[in-house]
Amino acid sequence: MARDLRVVTCSAPVNIAVIKYWGKRDEVLILPVNSSLSVTLNQTQLRAITSVATSKSFTRDRMWLNGQEEDINHPRLQNALREIRKLARQEEGDHFHICSENNFPTAAGLASSAAGYACLVYSLSRLLQVDSELSAIARQGSGSACRSMYGGFVKWEKGDRPDGRDSIAVQVATETHWPEMHALILVVNAGKKIVSSTVGMETTVHTSQLLKYRSEHVVPHRMVQMEKAIKERNFEEFAKITMQDSNQFHAVCLDTDPPIFYLNDISKRIIQLITIYNSFDGNIKAAYTFDAGPNAVLYTLSSQVSQLLALVSHFFPPDHTSESPFVIGLSQTTPVIDKKLAEQFQMEPIPGSLKYIIHTKVGGGPCQLNDPKQCLLNGDGLPNRELHHTSPM
Ligand code: DP6
């Protein structure tokens, strides 16, 4: 038992961009070529949880991620630790033990690094009792992590300074601003390993002319339009820009040499489904967006959720053999589709193409968890193996 052990446990959310970050102008400081904007998702369904501890008895920094000890010398981890130490003016001799877990499986292919780094930086800031521009530190772990430092709708201002001090996240609207907004995460059954964001965007920066056009002539205006749409709760405008920006991001990937393909045939079918759905009565009722992988995130309003879930489950039904729940999160049952509506799509269902759907909403930023039962470290500052959150809630 380490007598002087001090430990803090916090949780942090996942965010999904509606204006994408893709391309760095500084690889070390992680400074982007364009600003971006995202929606923070509710932590009940998706979150990282991290316990950080310090004690004079620790002889070195150590980190465990989802039950496995990780290399503490990873440069990005070192950057985050160095910056937070600098901020706290912490003595060299004090070491940290860090234990982090996600409440969703890594295999889901959802960006876990954003929540992970946001959670690490937030937890250390609570442990060391420092309060400053923490998003600039989280950014140095993983770019998109800076946006997970706030709840609601968050923009990451690209900034202009070479030292990156103005490249920070700013909340555009709180998590209660647009209560009707829902998100459905369609986890696609994909086998092949894909190019990581970090590697992919580096290649894009060196080879794509479209990226230059996008960052100089498209994103600045889109950021203004998107912020306005969110503030006015204008869903049609929000959805239109979200889909345009996802499409342009994937066009930029195709413009990369060698080209990068993140969307697979199922992703393209999902785009087709949403396009037809939106064209029925001329009203945009749902928006799709895709990150560096085939999974889709659909944004829609409360009034449409049930119909959209029914549609998606009809055209991308679970495999007959699957026994695990198909819809996880806010909806526990799959609504049934109106036959007449289904016929109008002229699409064939593809069973087994989705692993599952996570139904969630907009959520809050990182928070400290004061219940000792949620602590991932034991009295010696070592992983408390009984706690292992790997199934999505
Ligand atoms: C496609 O933040 O994962 O999800 O800064 O290299 O760690 P690094 O990249 P990362 O990139 C995310 C890219 C994206 C778009 C977005 O979230 O804005």
Side-chain angles (χ1 to χ4, degrees):
M1 184 84 159
R3 290 241 176 106
D4 64 336
L5 187 82
R6 284 195 305 120
V7 55
V8 163
T9 302
C10 297
S11 72
V14 164
N15 73 78
I16 300 291
V18 288
I19 306 256
K20 303 293 185 194
Y21 147 53
W22 195 254
K24 300 181 184 72
R25 62 176 204 278
D26 185 314
E27 296 276 339
V28 178
L29 289 172
I30 310 197
L31 302 177
V33 295
N34 59 259
S35 298
S36 54
L37 202 150
S38 59
V39 180
T40 298
L41 300 182
N42 198 293
Q43 294 187 46
T44 311
Q45 283 76 41
L46 303 162
R47 70 170 180 189
I49 172 164
T50 303
S51 294
V52 289
T54 183
S55 157
K56 293 271 180 252
S57 68
F58 296 169
T59 53
R60 59 191 169 102
D61 291 336
R62 292 179 76 180
M63 162 142 194
W64 295 264
L65 184 60
N66 293 322
Q68 295 276 330
E69 182 149 16
E70 294 286 308
D71 178 11
I72 195 80
N73 294 316
H74 191 288
R76 288 178 170 203
L77 190 56
Q78 285 298 321
N79 288 350
L81 293 178
R82 187 194 58 240
E83 291 303 310
I84 199 101
R85 281 192 161 114
K86 226 196 275 174
L87 196 65
R89 297 198 175 85
Q90 198 214 35
E91 300 153 35
E92 276 300 301
D94 288 351
H95 296 291
F96 299 125
H97 279 191
I98 303 157
C99 191
S100 191
E101 290 186 355
N102 301 322
N103 68 343
F104 54 94
T106 317
L110 301 165
S112 53
S113 63
Y117 273 107
C119 204
L120 171 72
V121 170
Y122 189 76
S123 310
L124 287 170
S125 80
R126 299 292 94 214
L127 184 76
L128 303 174
Q129 299 188 343
V130 288
D131 205 2
S132 152
E133 192 35 72
L134 298 173
S135 78
I137 302 181
R139 188 199 73 225
Q140 294 179 56
S142 181
S144 54
C146 73
R147 297 185 313 236
S148 275
M149 295 304 285
Y150 298 96
F153 299 80
V154 185
K155 64 178 169 181
W156 172 12
E157 303 267 23
K158 76 176 187 67
D160 298 309
R161 291 173 59 126
D163 66 5
R165 278 170 63 186
D166 55 352
S167 189
I168 54 167
V170 178
Q171 189 179 54
V172 169
T174 67
E175 58 270 31
T176 55
H177 169 72
W178 204 345
E180 298 83 9
M181 182 72 83
H182 287 244
L184 300 178
I185 305 171
L186 278 43
V187 181
V188 171
N189 240 330
K192 240 176 57 203
K193 202 155 164 43
I194 40 154
V195 183
S196 78
S197 309
T198 309
V199 173
M201 67 175 85
E202 195 178 344
T203 318
T204 302
V205 167
H206 290 127
T207 59
S208 169
Q209 292 189 18
L210 183 55
L211 179 72
K212 197 166 149 46
Y213 180 79
R214 165 177 165 74
S215 58
E216 286 172 12
H217 302 290
V218 182
V219 175
H221 181 55
R222 246 176 219 175
M223 286 292 293
V224 177
Q225 284 180 304
M226 182 55 102
E227 204 173 323
K228 185 166 177 283
I230 291 168
K231 291 209 163 119
E232 293 172 353
R233 294 188 205 91
N234 179 343
F235 185 77
E236 293 226 6
E237 189 69 4
F238 169 89
K240 197 180 80 195
I241 306 169
T242 297
M243 293 187 280
Q244 282 173 342
D245 203 72
S246 173
N247 293 341
Q248 189 174 70
F249 156 50
H250 291 279
V252 160
C253 291
L254 190 60
D255 191 46
T256 300
D257 185 14
I260 308 167
F261 304 93
Y262 286 125
L263 305 179
N264 68 12
D265 286 350
I266 301 304
S267 321
K268 290 176 200 165
R269 284 299 196 109
I270 295 168
I271 295 179
Q272 198 186 351
L273 179 85
I274 301 303
T275 307
I276 303 174
Y277 181 54
N278 283 336
S279 69
F280 277 154
D281 50 8
N283 286 330
I284 304 183
K285 299 176 286 299
Y288 56 78
T289 186
F290 297 82
D291 282 337
N295 296 338
V297 176
L298 306 182
Y299 288 111
T300 194
L301 296 178
S302 328
S303 53
Q304 305 297 326
V305 171
S306 181
Q307 193 173 54
L308 187 60
L309 258 178
L311 267 177
V312 172
S313 319
H314 176 79
F315 288 109
F316 306 98
D319 205 313
H320 298 305
T321 56
S322 168
E323 277 172 19
S324 41
F326 188 56
V327 185
I328 305 163
L330 295 176
S331 305
Q332 303 291 347
T333 54
T334 314
V336 179
I337 194 173
D338 181 299
K339 282 256 164 55
K340 281 219 177 82
L341 179 70
E343 278 164 16
Q344 296 181 56
F345 282 81
Q346 299 184 337
M347 279 170 70
E348 282 304 313
I350 315 171
S353 48
L354 297 186
K355 272 192 202 135
Y356 48 81
I357 301 169
I358 304 171
H359 179 188
T360 185
K361 289 188 84 171
V362 185
C367 51
Q368 187 164 343
L369 308 174
N370 293 317
D371 181 353
K373 285 200 216 101
Q374 290 177 295
C375 184
L376 303 175
L377 293 166
N378 64 21
D380 294 318
L382 292 170
N384 193 348
R385 294 309 307 275
E386 278 157 38
L387 286 155
H388 200 69
H389 311 262
T390 45
S391 54
M393 301 174 171

